[in-house]
Amino acid sequence: QGPLAESGGGEVLAGDSLRLSCAASVRILSSSAMAWFRQTAGKSREFVAAISWSSGGTSTADSVKGRFTISRDNAKNTMSLQMNNLQPEDTALYYCAASSTPVSRFVLADRRQYDYWGPGTQVTVSS
């Protein structure tokens, strides 16, 4: 098993909700961060949301703001993404990411900050 493992993906209809979870088997530094990215075929990996591990401060992509909420459980070393009002354009392979080094809140959306990645979980939204 790798350092990160996602779960919770599936096939839903537009307007439905899903909750993705990410379990980390590596220790997450209090000064680091975890994030969700997504990718569709032929496109680069896109930032979705990120959370600072110690402060709980978050950053969310404009495309999902108001619909997706990121959270974390420090004690359980897990992170979640609550996705409401899903739309067909949300269809993608969703990846969990974590950093092994401190991450400034100003660069939470930069995928170069993250060096641990999960294998991804597929989310498919039909209209």
Side-chain angles (χ1 to χ4, degrees), residues 12-15 38-41 43-44 46-48 62-64 67-68 83-94 122-127:
V12 297
L13 297 175
R38 66 187 183 185
Q39 189 170 19
T40 55
K43 294 187 178 181
S44 59
E46 174 191 25
F47 170 74
V48 176
D62 288 343
S63 59
V64 303
R67 300 187 297 122
F68 291 12
M83 306 186 295
N84 297 329
N85 190 23
L86 283 160
Q87 299 300 313
E89 54 266 32
D90 296 317
T91 294
L93 188 60
Y94 282 71
Q122 180 67 37
V123 172
T124 302
V125 186
S126 302
S127 58

Side-chain angles (χ1 to χ4, degrees), residues 2-79:
L4 301 175
E6 305 94 340
S7 61
E11 297 185 20
V12 297
L13 297 175
D16 285 349
S17 298
L18 278 175
R19 185 176 182 87
L20 303 183
S21 295
C22 176
S25 59
V26 292
R27 178 173 172 264
I28 307 299
L29 293 174
S30 61
S31 57
S32 65
M34 293 186 73
W36 291 99
F37 288 78
R38 66 187 183 185
Q39 189 170 19
T40 55
K43 294 187 178 181
S44 59
R45 200 163 292 189
E46 174 191 25
F47 170 74
V48 176
I51 188 164
S52 293
W53 202 245
S54 58
S55 69
T58 63
S59 176
T60 307
D62 288 343
S63 59
V64 303
K65 199 165 290 184
R67 300 187 297 122
F68 291 12
T69 303
I70 189 171
S71 61
R72 93 276 192 236
D73 186 327
N74 298 60
K76 295 182 178 179
N77 235 25
T78 59
M79 174 182 67

